[in-house]
Every structure is written in structure tokens, then in C-alpha cells.
Amino acid sequence: MKKREFLKSSIYALGGLGICSTGAASLYASPGPAATGKRGVSYLAPATSKREKVLAVLDQSKPNEYVPAAFFLHFNDKLGQGAIDSHLQFFRATNMDFVKVQYEIVVPHLENIKSPKDWAKIPVYKKDFFEPQLAVIEALAKELKSQALILPTVYSPLSLAQQTVGREAVEHIRQDPDAVAKGLNAITESIVNYIDEAVNRGADGFYISTQGGNSKFFGDGPLFEKTVVPYDRIVSQEASDRALVNILHICDYGEAYYTQIRQFASYPGSIINAPNILLDGTPIHLGEVQSTFRRPVMGGLDRLGVLVKGTDAEAFAAVDSVLSHAPANFILGADCTVPSDVPYQRLRAVIDYAHDWRARNA
């Protein structure tokens, strides 16, 4: 049995939504001298690499004492060697706990898509189309895979539909959801092609974004269920079937707020990166997210708050507040991509502060 198949059959409980007490960390601990516990049961030494420390978060039978942390931003160099170098520099400078590879391929805007029926003209992009992005993933995997998980970003079918059609995409979907289905199917197949080849190039999993279930688009009503959920689920399920760890990012970038987020609880995914507030300003409590989704949670900090505007002391105070109320299995992060001009030193200070926060505050 392949290791990935073993992982999914042995660890993922509740239909892939949680982790049983077997413990991912024990499966991926580095080989070394075994210690002997009570009743003569042998176990491996505690997790030491960033890979192991993130995988340990998946074991919901016990809290993770070490708090992994990661933030993301877009680089000036989007692709090529410049992008590879920028990702390497950022990862090493910030001491973050996994390699989140930014997605920078843009599908062509098709001028001949003038009506919902024209969506049948949208092509399926094969792996060759994504080659510049795949080359970045492959290079980062060769350099860093032994140290940390490689998690490329995946944009949603709705996001790529907007790139393809432009501003009219949402209106076309509202006008004739059945007609646009052919185009959404093609876009979704393209994303699946990207996911499959990214795994072949070294990706351990994905950071999968969802849009469309918010107030800026379709809300959580029938149109959302018809034109967003089926395609999102195909993408998420493919990633779940192919990869080790996937983060579901419920994106509210651009003030696209949600009235609720429990409608995403059926989406596949290992870890949930949720927004901080709902449309009416109600805070989204991290513990409730873990309770609702029955999975570990990532986030807590405002991407535009004291993390980028305050002093180190104010940022540390915000981390104190988040971690004081965070669920037992947690990765510190922001609710979305932080501005590109945030000093790396600030992110490094916050990440280092989080790593041993629970040990200091035990």
C-alpha cells in the first residue's frame, strides 16, 4: 500500500475530516533511537523538523505544544528564477513552518465570451499551460521538501472564471447558470490538471481558496449551491485524494464578507483558514471553527492590523490574545495574504514568538 493511501486509511477519521489518535507526527518522526514508555511501548523521539511539527497539528487527540506559524505575500518576481529566489529568501528570513507557493499564472481573458452561452468556448488547459508555475514548485521542492511541507496555492474555479470572462462573469452566472456550467467544468478540469502535475513535481498539499459564498457574490443561497459548491468540491476532493495536507482558505479578501461559514464544513480539507469577522461585524471564534469543522484551524491575526501597522510589542500582544483563545490544534497566521511591504523582520519576530508560546504560558 502506498504511503499516501496508508495515511488516508489509517489516520483520517470521520470521512477525512479529522485525525484519529494514531497521530500523524509518529508516522513522520525522523528515524532515531526509540524511547520506551509505560508498559514497554516504544515510540519515536518528538518531532523536530518543520514538516513533522505541522503534521503534528493534525493529531487532534492532543494539543500541539509547538505553535507553527506562517504568513504569505506576493513577490515582485512572479515566476522564473526570481520567484524561486524570493520564496527561498522569504521562507528562511521569516522562519515560517511550511512553504506556501504563491499562484501567479493568469488564464487568458477571452474577448469572445460575450454571453452565458459563449462559456462553452472556454478551453481546458493542460499541464503545459501551467509549466512556469510548476517549475517554481519543483525547484522549491528540491530545495526545501526535506525541511518543510510544500503547499502551492490553488485559486477557485470562480476566480479563474473571472480572469477568463472579466467583470461580466458573475452577471453571466446569475443570468444563466446552466449555460455557464460548460465553462465552469472546463475551468475546473484545468485546475485538476494543475493539482495533479504539482503533486508530481513535489507538492505535499495545497492552500485552496474558495470565493463566491460571500455577500459580494452569491451569498449562501441556491445560486451558490449550484454554481460554486460543486466545482469547489471537485477541486478540494482531487487535492484530498492526491496530497498529504490541504488548507481550505475561506477568502473574504476585498471586503467580501460572509453571513456564516458553516456551509463550507462539507468541503474536504485538513486545516481550515477562516476569516476573522462576519458581514455584520460578529467575530468568528477560532474554537467554534474547530468545533464546526472538526479540523485544526489556521489564522487569527488581521492581515491589515497591528501585524503590519503596530509595534513589535503590539503585535506580540495580538498573538497573546489569539493564542489565549485558540483551539488545541492550531497554526498561527493571518486571514489572508499580508501586504507585500511588510518587513520580514516583523513576521520573523511574530513567528518566533508564537513557536514556544504555549511552553512559556503553560
Side-chain angles (χ1 to χ4, degrees):
M1 180 181 289
K2 295 180 181 179
K3 183 167 73 172
R4 177 171 57 82
E5 293 171 347
F6 172 78
L7 178 85
K8 292 188 179 297
S9 63
S10 302
I11 297 180
Y12 279 85
L14 302 172
L17 301 184
I19 300 296
C20 71
S21 60
T22 307
S26 64
L27 289 177
Y28 290 89
S30 299
T36 303
K38 295 180 180 179
R39 302 182 182 177
V41 176
S42 296
Y43 57 92
L44 294 177
T48 55
S49 77
K50 291 179 183 293
R51 290 180 66 88
E52 295 159 357
K53 288 174 178 176
V54 173
L55 288 170
V57 176
L58 302 181
D59 180 4
Q60 294 188 88
S61 70
K62 59 180 181 290
N64 53 289
E65 181 176 314
Y66 175 92
V67 180
F71 301 100
F72 329 123
L73 50 78
H74 288 281
F75 305 108
N76 290 331
D77 292 308
K78 306 300 183 185
L79 298 165
Q81 189 61 47
I84 296 166
D85 293 342
S86 295
H87 279 84
L88 290 171
Q89 180 188 16
F90 183 70
F91 173 76
R92 290 165 175 159
T94 61
N95 198 28
M96 61 190 284
D97 288 285
F98 58 83
V99 182
K100 195 267 199 181
V101 187
Q102 295 294 92
Y103 178 86
E104 301 291 3
I105 288 284
V106 178
V107 297
H109 177 250
L110 302 181
E111 298 291 345
N112 61 342
I113 309 297
K114 302 295 186 182
S115 71
K117 292 181 179 180
D118 291 334
W119 283 51
K121 303 173 185 177
I122 295 176
V124 174
Y125 296 100
K126 304 296 185 182
K127 65 181 182 180
D128 291 349
F129 172 82
F130 299 100
E131 180 56 36
Q133 186 69 69
L134 295 166
V136 174
I137 294 168
E138 183 173 16
L140 293 172
K142 286 180 178 178
E143 183 72 21
L144 298 174
K145 191 178 178 74
S146 63
Q147 303 173 42
L149 296 166
I150 310 297
L151 305 180
T153 305
V154 175
Y155 281 3
S156 70
L158 177 61
S159 180
L160 267 63
Q162 290 180 289
Q163 291 179 7
T164 303
V165 180
R167 294 180 179 179
E168 295 78 17
V170 172
E171 185 57 33
H172 286 180
I173 292 171
R174 289 194 174 106
Q175 288 175 9
D176 195 340
D178 292 324
V180 303
K182 290 183 179 180
L184 288 171
N185 279 324
I187 290 169
T188 303
E189 186 175 345
S190 299
I191 297 171
V192 167
N193 290 337
Y194 165 63
I195 287 172
D196 289 345
E197 186 59 22
V199 171
N200 294 338
R201 301 293 186 94
D204 293 294
F206 299 92
Y207 181 86
I208 302 175
S209 181
T210 179
Q211 293 93 4
N214 48 53
S215 58
K216 193 173 182 179
F217 295 104
F218 309 117
D220 54 3
L223 202 55
F224 164 73
E225 292 290 340
K226 184 180 182 69
T227 62
V228 174
V229 172
Y231 306 102
D232 274 1
R233 284 187 59 84
I234 290 170
V235 169
S236 296
Q237 190 62 57
E238 182 70 16
S240 180
D241 290 343
R242 291 296 313 276
L244 186 64
V245 178
N246 295 292
I247 299 172
L248 174 63
H249 171 53
I250 304 171
C251 183
D252 67 351
Y253 187 84
E255 298 184 347
Y257 299 116
Y258 297 84
T259 57
Q260 59 172 331
I261 61 169
R262 61 179 179 272
Q263 67 269 30
F264 299 103
S266 65
Y267 278 33
S270 316
I271 298 165
I272 305 302
N273 181 211
N276 290 329
I277 60 172
L278 296 174
L279 179 62
D280 64 1
T282 302
I284 296 176
H285 298 291
L286 298 169
E288 293 179 1
V289 176
Q290 186 173 34
S291 176
T292 298
F293 286 80
R294 297 184 293 171
R295 280 164 277 181
V297 178
M298 175 181 172
L301 292 175
D302 181 352
R303 63 185 178 271
L304 301 177
V306 295
L307 181 66
V308 298
K309 298 177 181 177
T311 63
D312 280 358
E314 290 170 331
F316 295 157
V319 175
D320 289 338
S321 177
V322 169
L323 293 182
S324 294
H325 301 92
N329 304 96
F330 185 69
I331 299 174
L332 183 73
D335 49 343
C336 201
T337 304
V338 301
S340 295
D341 59 355
V342 178
Y344 289 8
Q345 300 94 313
R346 163 61 53 76
L347 301 180
R348 172 65 180 257
V350 170
I351 288 170
D352 287 347
Y353 185 77
H355 281 163
D356 61 351
W357 189 92
R358 283 180 171 160
R360 293 196 313 270
N361 292 274

